[in-house]
Amino acid sequence: DIVMTQSPDSLAVSLGERATINCKSSQSVLYSSNNKNYLAWYQQKAGQPPKLLFYWASTRESGVPDRFSGSGSGTDFTLTISSLQVEDVAVYYCQQYYSTPHSFGQGTKLEIK
Amino acid sequence: QVQLVESGGGVVQPGGSLRLSCAASGFSFSSFGMHWVRQAPGKGLEWVSFIRYDESYKYYADSVKGRFTISRDTSKNTLYLQLDSLTAEDTAVYYCAKAHQYTFPDYWGQGTLVTVSS
């Protein structure tokens, strides 16, 4: 099974500053036949279900603000918020869909400093 | 627009059973796989199960294998999760989620709470 590990577990960033969340998989989620990373990012606000932000590690879902970006390949991935807004307070999860079980990272709680 | 509405949660005793339902609308239910994902109180997301659009494949997390059964009824646009031999560790909000063509969850329901307690 692929284990997903996020860092840090929690993060406090000032409004307007950059927030960076890391996700590491225990084995590569890059599928060589199509050169795609089977990695998604989700945002979960308090009391709400998760919302898809990115798939293929860096393809932004429709409607997601462009201050959000996803990057990385193989086993190391990053979610970046370039200028933190109040509405970005949430827990963020990465998930691999390369193989079952489709494991999630433990989550990173993002707060305002 | 895609809508997923879970139901069937509640309080059940250890060793008991429950069947969760997820009513889907706003998309061609018969064309997409579906997931169940759960979240224990104050904890992270745990993927539980996936069923392919044609029911040809069903996958389960090791933690529920042999106890939970995923199924779907295309005529009713409804996804199910049968939960048997429940333990306190199964206490969680259970979300159903539509799968994108490439299997990751792209739309989620609001969830239904299952509490296993005596």
Side-chain angles (χ1 to χ4, degrees):
Chain A
D1 295 358
I2 298 176
V3 176
M4 307 300 291
T5 304
Q6 293 180 224
S7 62
D9 290 334
S10 63
L11 181 62
V13 174
S14 300
L15 288 172
E17 295 300 305
R18 178 184 299 263
T20 302
I21 298 169
N22 300 299
C23 174
K24 189 175 184 66
S25 57
S26 60
Q27 62 190 76
S28 177
V29 298
L30 174 63
Y31 193 39
S32 56
S33 67
N34 59 10
N35 200 37
K36 288 185 179 294
N37 289 283
Y38 283 55
L39 189 284
W41 286 99
Y42 298 89
Q43 175 193 63
Q44 187 179 31
K45 296 182 179 180
Q48 297 184 19
K51 172 189 171 184
L52 176 66
L53 296 178
F54 292 91
Y55 52 98
W56 303 135
S58 60
T59 300
R60 190 181 294 107
E61 174 72 337
S62 175
V64 174
D66 60 8
R67 65 179 178 274
F68 289 86
S69 62
S71 63
S73 185
T75 61
D76 292 280
F77 301 91
T78 300
L79 174 69
T80 302
I81 307 171
S82 60
S83 177
L84 189 70
Q85 305 300 304
V86 170
E87 59 267 32
D88 301 334
V89 169
V91 180
Y92 292 84
Y93 296 91
C94 60
Q95 184 200 26
Q96 64 81 19
Y97 50 99
Y98 183 90
S99 64
T100 55
H102 289 177
S103 42
F104 289 90
Q106 79 275 19
T108 296
K109 185 175 184 180
L110 177 59
E111 300 173 311
I112 304 293
K113 184 186 290 183
Chain B
Q1 70 280 22
V2 174
Q3 279 202 311
L4 299 166
V5 180
E6 302 94 337
S7 61
V11 180
V12 60
Q13 292 189 338
S17 297
L18 216 53
R19 188 175 84 154
L20 307 182
S21 300
C22 171
S25 61
F27 66 103
S28 177
F29 181 73
S30 61
S31 299
F32 292 92
M34 297 292 294
H35 294 270
W36 286 100
V37 176
R38 69 183 181 182
Q39 187 168 36
K43 302 297 185 183
L45 301 172
E46 180 188 12
W47 176 84
V48 172
S49 185
F50 171 78
I51 184 169
R52 207 162 172 244
Y53 71 97
D54 58 358
E55 298 191 74
S56 58
Y57 291 98
K58 301 177 183 181
Y59 300 100
Y60 299 93
D62 286 345
S63 58
V64 307
K65 201 172 295 182
R67 301 188 300 120
F68 290 10
T69 304
I70 192 170
S71 63
R72 62 193 298 161
D73 185 337
T74 300
S75 68
K76 296 181 179 179
N77 282 359
T78 301
L79 173 73
Y80 301 101
L81 187 68
Q82 177 68 38
L83 288 63
D84 295 321
S85 303
L86 286 163
T87 73
E89 287 67 44
D90 297 315
T91 294
V93 173
Y94 285 74
Y95 295 102
C96 71
K98 170 187 166 293
H100 183 273
Q101 175 188 0
Y102 287 95
T103 76
F104 57 86
D106 56 2
Y107 292 93
W108 299 63
Q110 292 295 314
T112 187
L113 176 62
V114 172
T115 303
V116 184
S117 174
S118 55

